[in-house]
């Protein structure tokens, strides 16, 4: 996948210790009531860890973040997303939170 | 602009009475503390009424909604967005709410 959004300060690979930490985070979140899927992507949009989330979900998350980032950048050059949330009529809730070098996405219902 | 997303049940033009109502809504919202811009688009993404929001903002809102809708549709064919919110590190807040045939977008800070 494209690494156009990766920078020197943002890891695109994870070592084993970090990966275990990400796995633990995903497991913890996935055990919450109503959580349908959880994924952690790197800033390039590559899936690092997931539960019940396929490549389609990663693609949509990446597209959403790119559009939202482009909008924020048009308002102020160095602004960044802190949280993105979508609620649906069928009570789905998608939350995406950038966290250090990673993007965490949770789908609830 | 494209009308690919308009359907027979969704107005793409507004009569004078409706337009006055939309104008009033926008004026009311724009007067709230912290509100930087307000816009009402039709479902095709055309700007109907706005305060401090240019065509770029309408383009981004439309893109965001298209991606979010495509994601929801991939989960359940007849699901729809009820609310989309983006918060930024510089404390901007973009909220988009579909409402009947219109889309209301508010940018706060």
């Amino acid at each position: 996948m494209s690494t156009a959004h990766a920078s020197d300060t943002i890891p695109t690979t994870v070592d084993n210790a970090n990966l275990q930490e990400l796995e633990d985070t995903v497991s913890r979140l996935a055990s919450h009531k109503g959580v349908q899927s959880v994924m952690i992507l790197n800033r390039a949009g590559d899936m690092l860890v997931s539960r019940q989330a396929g490549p389609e979900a990663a693609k949509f998350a990446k597209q959403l973040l790119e559009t939202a980032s482009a909008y924020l950048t048009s308002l102020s050059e160095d602004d960044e997303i802190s949280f993105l949330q979508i609620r649906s009529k069928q009570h789905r809730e998608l939350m995406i939170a950038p966290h250090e070098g990673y993007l965490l996405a949770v789908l609830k219902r």
Side-chain angles (χ1 to χ4, degrees), chain A residues 38-91:
Chain A
V38 182
M39 58 187 180
I40 294 181
L41 312 178
N42 65 17
R43 290 287 181 130
D46 305 310
M47 188 86 89
L48 299 176
V49 189
S50 69
R51 289 287 179 286
Q52 312 291 334
E56 277 287 290
K59 192 195 76 181
F60 283 120
K62 195 184 166 191
Q63 275 179 12
L64 279 170
L65 287 163
E66 278 175 359
T67 306
S69 294
Y71 177 60
L72 289 174
T73 308
S74 78
L75 297 172
S76 169
E77 212 174 280
D78 56 350
D79 203 2
E80 277 179 64
I81 297 165
S82 65
F83 191 65
L84 184 151
Q85 186 184 37
I86 295 165
R87 279 185 263 145
S88 84
K89 295 218 170 135
Q90 293 181 9
H91 309 291

Side-chain angles (χ1 to χ4, degrees), chain A residues 7-73:
Chain A
S7 83
D8 290 349
T9 58
I10 294 170
T12 52
T13 57
V14 280
D15 61 29
N16 286 341
N18 270 342
L19 192 61
Q20 189 54 54
E21 210 178 291
L22 298 182
E23 288 275 9
D24 293 348
T25 301
V26 166
S27 293
R28 205 171 57 242
L29 288 167
S31 73
H32 280 262
K33 197 174 169 243
V35 170
Q36 293 197 312
S37 69
V38 182
M39 58 187 180
I40 294 181
L41 312 178
N42 65 17
R43 290 287 181 130
D46 305 310
M47 188 86 89
L48 299 176
V49 189
S50 69
R51 289 287 179 286
Q52 312 291 334
E56 277 287 290
K59 192 195 76 181
F60 283 120
K62 195 184 166 191
Q63 275 179 12
L64 279 170
L65 287 163
E66 278 175 359
T67 306
S69 294
Y71 177 60
L72 289 174
T73 308

